[in-house]
Amino acid sequence: MRVIDPGALAARLVLERPEETPDGQGGVERSFAALATVWGRIEPVSARAAEVAGTLPVTVTHRIWLRHRADLAGGMRFRKGARIFTVLTFRDPDETGRYLVCDCEEAKP
């Protein structure tokens, strides 16, 4: 079990949830709305670059720690200024209901 110092949760993040609105043609438009402001710890994990359409975008994965929330769901994202971290998975690292660890992905142009 990894012990986390609550003082290490020093990054102010906005938790955003996806919202879908009908586009009038049978599809939907997806946007994101702020749900809450939380404090977290951002740990870079890995980076990879892959050529896509003649560009070389870099995808960086991060581990984001935060206090436990019952309303977190896949597809949500965290925003820190202009940076966006998409939540891929999340878990309670020691099953005590104190913290959550989110595996996130940040795309960089």
Side-chain angles (χ1 to χ4, degrees):
M1 177 177 91
R2 182 173 175 185
V3 177
I4 268 287
D5 172 13
L9 305 178
R12 190 174 176 94
L13 305 165
V14 176
L15 177 61
E16 298 179 333
R17 70 170 177 253
E19 291 188 341
E20 294 181 348
T21 54
D23 66 3
Q25 298 180 10
V28 295
E29 290 183 17
R30 177 174 276 182
S31 61
F32 286 85
L35 177 63
T37 300
V38 298
W39 291 97
R41 176 185 171 132
I42 303 171
E43 299 176 354
V45 176
S46 68
R48 72 179 181 279
E51 187 172 349
V52 176
T55 64
L56 195 61
V58 176
T59 302
V60 182
T61 58
H62 298 274
R63 198 171 290 124
I64 297 180
W65 291 73
L66 65 148
R67 291 194 181 274
H68 194 276
R69 299 182 60 91
D71 59 351
L72 192 64
M76 290 182 166
R77 68 187 194 182
F78 294 103
R79 178 182 294 276
K80 182 178 182 203
R83 299 173 69 190
I84 295 175
F85 305 91
T86 303
V87 177
L88 303 175
T89 63
F90 59 92
R91 63 196 173 282
D92 182 342
D94 57 4
E95 298 185 359
T96 61
R98 296 180 303 158
Y99 299 103
L100 289 175
V101 179
C102 303
D103 295 316
C104 301
E105 198 170 75
E106 177 186 21
K108 296 193 177 252

